Amino acid sequence: MKYRIEILPAAWEDLKKIEDYYAIQFDVETAIKVSDHILDTIERLEDFPDSGSLTPDKWLNEKGYRMVICKKHIAIYKVIDQSIFIYHIADTQTEYTKLFY
């Protein structure tokens, strides 16, 4: 059974900022590759919703959030019924758990 993926507006904004950063620092082609890799990783959750891991934050884990790692980035999501909601996409080097506080 496939789950439905819903990328929430905040996560789309996060992805746009990541694309902008790579386009400025490197080039548009690199920005697209990074973005595509993140989206491909998220797409795999359709078939494997439990493939992500717990976050490093106890509160997020208690609320049912999980994360999937996309090289230098993570996508934080929650499974609700037959849907996967992507809440944020962030660089692993940032304090991304604070996006929820």
Side-chain angles (χ1 to χ4, degrees), residues 8-26:
L8 298 175
W12 281 118
E13 281 185 40
D14 296 339
L15 187 61
K16 177 72 174 120
K17 288 177 187 171
I18 291 166
E19 284 179 343
D20 290 347
Y21 170 81
Y22 279 89
I24 291 167
Q25 294 297 318
F26 302 99

Side-chain angles (χ1 to χ4, degrees), residues 85-98:
F85 293 91
I86 309 296
Y87 287 83
H88 283 289
I89 300 168
D91 188 308
T92 58
Q93 302 298 311
T94 62
E95 294 185 38
Y96 55 84
T97 56
K98 292 187 177 183

Side-chain angles (χ1 to χ4, degrees), residues 3 44-45 47-54 66-67 77 79 84:
Y3 284 70
R44 277 186 247 133
L45 292 171
D47 294 314
F48 306 103
D50 296 324
S51 62
S53 60
L54 295 175
R66 298 180 65 80
M67 68 178 193
Y77 69 96
V79 178
I84 296 168

Side-chain angles (χ1 to χ4, degrees), residues 15 18-19 22 29-45 68-75 89:
L15 187 61
I18 291 166
E19 284 179 343
Y22 279 89
E29 186 176 317
T30 301
I32 291 169
K33 282 182 184 179
V34 170
S35 178
D36 284 350
H37 177 71
I38 292 169
L39 292 172
D40 288 346
T41 302
I42 289 170
E43 190 176 304
R44 277 186 247 133
L45 292 171
V68 64
I69 299 171
C70 325
K71 292 187 181 175
K72 288 187 60 180
H73 301 92
I74 53 99
I89 300 168

